[in-house]
Amino acid sequence: THCMRRAPRDFARWCALIGASGRTHVVSCESRARTDVERVAHAVQTSFSSAANRSQRPGMTSRGAAPPPLAAKRLGNAYVQILGLNADSHDVTAPSVLVFTDSHRYVFNVGEGFQRFCVERRLKLQRTNRIMLTRVNAASAGGLTGMLLTMSDGALTAQGAGNGAGNASTFETRRVDVHAPASPLRALIRATKTLFGQGRGVAIGENGFERDSCASVLDSEVIVNDGVVTITPVVVGGWARHDGYDEDAYDEEADTYDREYDSFSDEARAGANAKRAKLDHDDEEEYYALDAVASYDVKLAGVPGKFDMASAVKLGVPQGPQRGALVRGQSITLVNGTVITPEMCVGPEQPGPRVIVFDAPTNAHVRAALDAPKPLFGDVSDVSVVVHIASAAVVSSAEYKTLVEKTFEGASKASHVFANAKAMDEVPIFMSAARIQARLHALHAEIFPDARDPTSPPPSPSKREAMAKRVDKIPSGIPNAIAGKNLLKFGLIPLKSAGADASAVPQFVPSFVHRKQVDESTIALASKAIQPASPLPSETYDASRPGADFPVPEYLRAMRPGDVELVFLGTGSAMPAKYRNVSGFFMQFGGDDYSGNIMLDTGEGSLAQMIRRYGINRVDEQLMALKLVWISHIHADHHVGLPRILTSRQEAFERRGLEAPVIPIVGPRPLRRFLDLYSELEHLGADFIDLAETTREKWVSETMSPEIARIRAALSGSDVDQIIAVQVNHCAHAYGAKIVGKRGWSMVYSGDTRPCPSLVAAARDATLLVHEATFENGMEDEAIKKRHSTTKEAVQTGNDARAYRTILTHFSQRYPKVPIFDGSYTERTAVAFDLMSVDFSNLPMLPRLIPAVRSLFKDDAVLATEAEEDVDSAAE
């Protein structure tokens, strides 16, 4: 008798699954109950006498027996490729691995930035229909939502739904299957579906593999058998729901858990500091409290034997379809009645290559794998390549080396590719954006900081082989070890060309090389902009001239560098692209005993952008000083990066042995459900506050509401007095923000919107208006249809509000560099770029940089050539 100690819904699903075999009957029995409430659960009594009698889903095989070999098949080209290594943001995102065949693509992990990397490298996503996750968290799945949305848009566009040719519901929906350990995957998919509504061109297939063992390492079953590959997972950890989880906390009607309960223990969430916390389960055995981590054993179909032309001619086999039939293993009959069998003129079939994607992200997982009673992957003598995706800190440990030696002892011919950030020699992942940043840095080093310049030079050709063996990249003493790099390929088929291929690996280009390409005339324009205006605006201000510069406000004259700084983490719209990440802002305060920071919108990749701006050593400090996160609306490009920000904040405190204080998340009402569901997967430490409870009426009310009181308490010590929600014209629950500083300044952020009077009123005499400018002038119809603003409309809002400065952002990815400059720009207008850092003390001179920026890009042949290609690639 097996008693399921999970939530009733999980238990019912499990009963339905195994009950379908016809060998199971369900009986009633008394289950455990809380002391104050009687609870009754179901139990099942099975007649399973051996693993061979277990009910199995179609196409799946017990891990105890080897899966049946796939029939030989011509796969064309097949290879493994490393994607998305974040050398410039370290190992905060798990690397991705692509197993490529001419007909199918299999992706392992889709961390934040995966989609953007594919756009930059023109890697097509549309043939990807299976995604395997080694870990189910923001580090490995943070890019899943964005990837699915992009694939959906591409699928609808290809069928005509994206251009108004029909209703999306009438078009064929493509299915993308996601595979991972069942319990955490269920939580992830439920949260993802709150953002991935009906009418999409892609349907998400949830394919969790259930744990059927209480051991620390799970022998699983074949989860993919499609005629091209078989894929079998091996799971380490995952038996952790007994710590901090209570089945009575489940609300079946609401389909959610009480906020005070989490699906995983604190020990399991401690990242690299996870401990081997032992849990007692019915006084039977002790189990490790570890997050479930899956590795994947991938076996390709056998390779057909080589056709022997000479033998075929001798046997009289004519050219044409009959020869093809013989290659496919079919016998033929010649016109004279002679039967020719394949073995008469086709060589023996070769076994298909075998790939293992191996993950053990913490030392606790390494020890759990070492404790396995038998080899994790059985006989490994036929393995071609093992891709290790743990961080450099883990793979360089002595325990990991021991694990590799034990697990792959018989794989004498296998290559070991170690994919981690150290392997990239600090080469930026988004090289096009790094190039732009380096060139902008030449104009103004403070406004356009270039923190991504490598701290050490790349290895010279003569030293590369020695460098590849450094223990901070790969364990020493491992035979056939290769330092994995972005776009490194390992050929599988054709067999004669199997092996590592580094021809596509990006080469290091120092930032100073890009800066030297900036014309002297452009540098001269930037130098002129830095000089104080002459004559001063106060001497020349003409109120009758629209857009004329204003005198510098007195409170702004008194501000010093470091008092208030706004960092643009992303300035693009809709989806990440080569030159611009999606929306995100980081605002920090200092001077006069003020401290702390806040974030406004957190598009995918916001954490990595923070690391590029501040460096890995300073990001923890910034996250620990984070007082509040404000989200403008529910569209994914404005908040998908929030879980990674919040989990990293938790980890920063945990690394110092501190408990992270709860942080207010002020956002649209639908965001609450996403956060509630996601918190079942990872602890976020979030206190959600509805934007509708933070309007001006709430702030000026004589009776302070609980929501305003919580915000005021969180902002204590910062330079922010109020952060007021301003309703705008975009979608339901969409707001802009007015931030009122204690030293007299104010800033208004539009969010996404059409021009609207409420925003003009909020921005009246503001120090800074940050306004979206999604579309160029002349695209007013498109802007109205999608409820966005054109450049001219955004500038006009700043003029109407008499804002001291207006900075344009949220540009369509149609404009890979800068929007088109025209007469709508004024003496008070500036343009945002990713990682641009605007200290309020630099606001007076900011618009004067426009001529230098225009000059910087006007003759950029590289950008001009790539622009149209990038738009086409993104659409695909």
Side-chain angles (χ1 to χ4, degrees):
T1 301
H2 302 276
C3 180
M4 293 296 291
R5 298 176 59 197
R6 294 186 176 183
R9 183 176 62 86
D10 293 87
F11 178 58
R13 179 177 178 273
W14 186 75
C15 288
L17 175 67
I18 63 172
S21 68
R23 294 191 298 270
T24 304
H25 26 253
V26 180
V27 298
S28 298
C29 75
E30 187 177 45
S31 180
R32 291 192 175 189
R34 298 178 73 168
T35 58
D36 57 342
V37 180
E38 288 294 327
R39 303 281 294 177
V40 177
H42 290 94
V44 293
Q45 183 178 18
T46 68
S47 57
F48 296 174
S49 58
S50 68
N53 291 327
R54 290 187 303 174
S55 95
Q56 296 173 4
R57 284 170 278 178
M60 295 189 175
T61 308
S62 168
R63 177 63 175 167
L70 293 172
K73 184 173 184 176
R74 292 200 177 277
L75 299 179
N77 293 312
Y79 56 81
V80 180
Q81 190 168 32
I82 308 300
L83 306 176
L85 279 177
N86 279 282
D88 49 350
S89 59
H90 299 261
D91 287 309
V92 299
T93 298
S96 300
V97 179
L98 170 68
V99 175
F100 175 99
T101 71
D102 282 351
S103 60
H104 292 69
R105 315 283 192 272
Y106 309 89
V107 174
F108 298 79
N109 292 337
V110 283
E112 290 191 337
F114 176 80
Q115 177 189 195
R116 187 181 182 192
F117 180 81
C118 290
V119 169
E120 171 155 1
R121 296 296 170 181
R122 300 190 178 92
L123 302 174
K124 311 303 183 187
L125 301 177
Q126 293 305 326
R127 289 191 181 181
T128 302
N129 59 2
R130 292 193 185 274
I131 298 170
M132 272 62 64
L133 301 178
T134 63
R135 321 164 200 170
V136 189
N137 56 24
S140 63
L144 179 63
T145 299
M147 175 185 176
L148 291 174
L149 289 171
T150 299
M151 293 175 70
S152 172
D153 292 345
L156 291 177
T157 300
Q159 298 183 70
N163 55 16
N167 190 295
S169 62
T170 66
F171 289 84
E172 180 181 356
T173 298
R174 177 184 170 193
R175 179 182 173 94
V176 176
D177 288 303
V178 183
H179 301 263
S183 182
L185 178 62
R186 189 175 305 118
L188 175 67
I189 296 300
R190 289 171 68 207
T192 300
K193 285 184 176 180
T194 65
L195 310 175
F196 202 77
Q198 300 297 321
R200 296 289 183 181
V202 168
I204 308 172
E206 179 186 333
N207 295 271
F209 29 92
E210 297 280 358
R211 169 171 290 284
D212 57 0
S213 167
C214 296
S216 60
V217 175
L218 168 67
D219 272 349
S220 189
E221 55 192 7
V222 173
I223 59 171
V224 175
N225 188 344
D226 58 6
V228 176
V229 301
T230 61
I231 301 178
T232 308
V234 173
V235 182
V236 176
W239 199 262
R241 294 181 69 99
H242 309 298
D243 181 44
Y245 175 85
D246 191 319
E247 64 185 15
D248 296 331
Y250 185 81
D251 181 346
E252 194 167 10
E253 293 183 2
D255 196 31
T256 187
Y257 293 103
D258 250 351
R259 291 297 303 277
E260 65 177 297
Y261 295 97
D262 294 316
S263 299
F264 296 97
S265 70
D266 289 336
E267 296 291 346
R269 286 193 301 264
N273 297 322
K275 301 176 182 178
R276 299 179 78 186
K278 294 185 177 181
L279 304 172
D280 182 73
H281 177 62
D282 289 344
D283 299 325
E284 294 174 359
E285 294 184 47
E286 293 178 327
Y287 305 99
Y288 300 143
L290 292 176
D291 288 341
V293 172
S295 297
Y296 293 91
D297 191 340
V298 184
K299 178 72 172 179
L300 276 70
V303 180
K306 186 176 180 180
F307 187 74
D308 187 339
M309 184 70 70
S311 296
V313 171
K314 185 176 181 180
L315 291 168
V317 180
Q319 294 183 357
Q322 287 187 315
R323 292 186 177 184
L326 288 168
V327 172
R328 292 191 296 272
Q330 303 168 5
S331 296
I332 64 169
T333 302
L334 302 180
V335 293
N336 61 6
T338 304
V339 176
I340 307 296
T341 60
E343 58 268 19
M344 296 171 69
C345 54
V346 178
E349 174 185 326
Q350 299 294 313
R354 185 178 173 193
V355 177
I356 291 176
V357 180
F358 187 54
D359 194 9
T362 72
N363 291 330
H365 286 95
V366 173
R367 288 190 288 267
L370 280 170
D371 290 343
K374 58 183 179 179
L376 298 180
F377 303 100
D379 181 5
V380 293
S381 59
D382 60 340
V383 172
S384 302
V385 60
V386 182
V387 181
H388 303 258
I389 61 176
S391 69
V394 173
V395 302
S396 60
S397 68
E399 285 181 310
Y400 195 91
K401 178 183 176 182
T402 301
L403 176 61
V404 172
E405 292 171 344
K406 174 185 175 182
T407 304
F408 302 105
E409 181 179 4
S412 59
K413 297 181 180 180
S415 295
H416 292 265
V417 177
F418 290 87
N420 56 68
K422 287 285 187 181
M424 284 302 296
D425 298 316
E426 301 187 41
V427 176
I429 179 173
F430 304 122
M431 299 189 68
S432 298
R435 174 176 173 270
I436 295 296
Q437 189 70 14
R439 288 164 62 83
L440 286 167
H441 183 78
L443 305 186
H444 198 290
E446 293 179 9
I447 295 175
F448 305 109
D450 189 13
R452 294 180 291 182
D453 209 5
T455 57
S456 59
S460 62
S462 62
K463 295 182 179 180
R464 279 178 185 157
E465 183 175 351
M467 290 285 286
K469 301 295 183 181
R470 284 173 49 186
V471 296
D472 61 350
K473 296 179 182 178
I474 58 177
S476 60
I478 302 297
N480 305 322
I482 302 170
K485 299 176 183 290
N486 273 329
L487 301 179
L488 174 74
K489 288 183 180 180
F490 191 95
L492 302 173
I493 300 174
L495 297 177
K496 63 182 181 181
S497 58
D501 175 7
S503 59
V505 172
Q507 299 299 308
F508 172 78
V509 179
S511 288
F512 74 83
V513 173
H514 299 309
R515 288 196 287 271
K516 288 175 65 175
Q517 297 170 354
V518 179
D519 292 340
E520 290 296 328
S521 59
T522 301
I523 298 295
L525 287 172
S527 299
K528 180 180 179 181
I530 297 172
Q531 303 302 317
S534 179
L536 295 175
S538 59
E539 300 172 356
T540 61
Y541 174 65
D542 181 1
S544 65
R545 183 162 56 90
D549 200 2
F550 291 149
V552 180
E554 286 300 323
Y555 64 82
L556 192 57
R557 290 178 182 273
M559 295 185 74
R560 295 160 299 196
D563 284 355
V564 181
E565 183 182 55
L566 176 66
V567 178
F568 290 80
L569 301 177
T571 57
S573 67
M575 63 182 182
K578 178 183 291 188
Y579 300 104
R580 295 182 183 273
N581 200 48
V582 286
S583 293
F585 307 86
F586 184 83
M587 199 170 191
Q588 61 177 344
F589 313 102
D592 298 325
D593 296 325
Y594 292 116
S595 62
N597 50 62
I598 63 174
M599 296 188 75
L600 307 170
D601 283 345
T602 54
E604 178 185 332
S606 289
L607 176 65
Q609 291 288 81
M610 287 181 64
I611 295 174
R612 294 182 185 105
R613 169 61 182 88
Y614 295 107
I616 189 66
N617 295 326
R618 289 185 58 196
V619 162
D620 273 10
E621 299 174 8
Q622 301 287 15
L623 291 173
M624 293 174 69
L626 189 59
K627 292 180 174 290
L628 177 144
V629 180
W630 190 95
I631 305 296
S632 62
H633 62 289
I634 195 59
H635 288 166
D637 58 319
H638 288 257
H639 68 82
V640 165
L642 180 58
R644 193 69 186 105
I645 291 289
L646 296 180
T647 56
S648 295
R649 175 179 175 270
Q650 292 287 126
E651 293 164 3
F653 279 97
E654 289 171 356
R655 279 191 286 270
R656 291 157 177 79
L658 303 172
E659 182 178 353
V662 172
I663 183 171
I665 307 299
V666 184
R669 188 176 307 155
L671 184 63
R672 179 194 294 272
R673 178 162 176 77
F674 171 76
L675 293 176
D676 283 348
L677 292 174
Y678 193 93
S679 65
E680 297 173 22
L681 179 64
E682 296 185 274
H683 184 56
L684 301 178
D687 171 26
F688 180 81
I689 297 175
D690 191 339
L691 279 167
E693 299 299 324
T694 65
T695 59
R696 182 178 181 278
E697 291 74 16
K698 301 291 185 180
W699 280 96
V700 300
S701 174
E702 294 183 1
T703 303
M704 185 182 297
S705 69
E707 291 81 6
I708 298 299
R710 279 144 56 194
I711 293 175
R712 283 198 179 278
L715 294 174
S716 175
S718 76
D719 192 16
V720 177
D721 185 52
Q722 297 179 351
I723 181 164
I724 303 167
V726 181
Q727 195 160 18
V728 295
N729 180 13
H730 182 59
C731 64
H733 312 289
Y735 290 83
K738 180 175 183 177
I739 305 171
V740 180
K742 297 174 182 176
R743 286 177 280 196
W745 61 270
S746 64
M747 188 188 94
V748 172
Y749 167 49
S750 70
D752 287 5
T753 185
R754 290 288 299 144
C756 55
S758 61
L759 199 64
V760 173
R764 178 70 60 189
D765 297 323
T767 311
L768 174 62
L769 169 64
V770 178
H771 201 293
E772 70 119 295
T774 307
F775 293 101
E776 64 180 318
N777 298 334
M779 299 187 69
E780 285 77 13
D781 289 344
E782 189 77 4
I784 292 171
K785 177 182 176 181
K786 297 187 176 180
R787 297 185 181 180
H788 284 293
S789 299
T790 65
T791 298
K792 183 176 181 179
E793 290 170 335
V795 173
Q796 188 60 49
T797 297
N799 289 343
D800 293 344
R802 293 179 51 83
Y804 176 68
R805 291 290 180 259
T806 299
I807 300 180
L808 306 183
T809 187
H810 198 266
F811 301 110
S812 169
Q813 305 296 11
R814 291 183 177 91
Y815 320 125
K817 40 183 178 178
V818 292
I820 297 173
F821 292 102
D822 57 25
S824 62
Y825 284 77
T826 73
E827 297 171 14
R828 305 199 301 270
T829 307
V831 175
F833 292 88
D834 280 18
L835 303 183
M836 186 170 87
S837 302
V838 179
D839 192 293
F840 274 31
S841 65
N842 285 325
L843 281 176
M845 57 81 57
L846 197 59
R848 299 199 296 272
L849 279 174
I850 288 288
V853 172
R854 181 189 291 119
S855 174
L856 182 69
F857 292 106
K858 68 176 181 179
D859 296 322
D860 194 319
V862 175
L863 285 172
T865 301
E866 294 178 348
E868 288 299 324
E869 296 175 356
D870 293 340
V871 173
D872 294 340
S873 177
E876 295 174 357

